[in-house]
Amino acid sequence: LVPALFTFGLSIPIGAVIGGSAGLVAGTALGGSAGLVGGGAVGYGAYAKRDQIRGVAAQTMAKVHDSADFVKGRATTSVDYVREKACVVRARLV
């Protein structure tokens, strides 16, 4: 008497392996295709508008440099103010 393998609870694990494998293959194929098409579209759009992107990047960098200069100026002013106040306090104590 040969036991029937599928009646001893092996049908569920075997079905899961087959279904999982099929899902893996289908998901890989569809995901890869979608990534290829999406990446190509984004790349083309960026290439087509590269001059505009470059201009916006230059404007942004100019604003960053202006802001950095402003912050440096404010920090220098604050340091000078604190030094002046420290000198006044020191003069009162001596």
Side-chain angles (χ1 to χ4, degrees):
L1 237 123
V2 176
L5 293 177
F6 291 107
T7 59
F8 288 130
L10 292 178
S11 61
I12 293 174
I14 290 174
V17 168
I18 293 171
S21 300
L24 176 68
V25 170
T28 301
L30 291 175
S33 299
L36 177 70
V37 170
V42 170
Y44 175 76
Y47 179 76
K49 297 182 181 196
R50 67 187 181 277
D51 293 333
Q52 293 172 345
I53 293 170
R54 189 176 293 125
V56 169
Q59 289 175 351
T60 303
M61 288 304 294
K63 285 183 181 181
V64 167
H65 287 299
D66 291 344
S67 297
D69 291 340
F70 175 75
V71 170
K72 287 178 187 176
R74 294 291 288 197
T76 302
T77 303
S78 296
V79 167
D80 292 342
Y81 175 78
V82 169
R83 282 184 182 158
E84 180 182 325
K85 291 298 179 181
C87 287
V88 169
V89 170
R90 190 178 302 133
R92 286 184 186 173
L93 292 177
V94 175

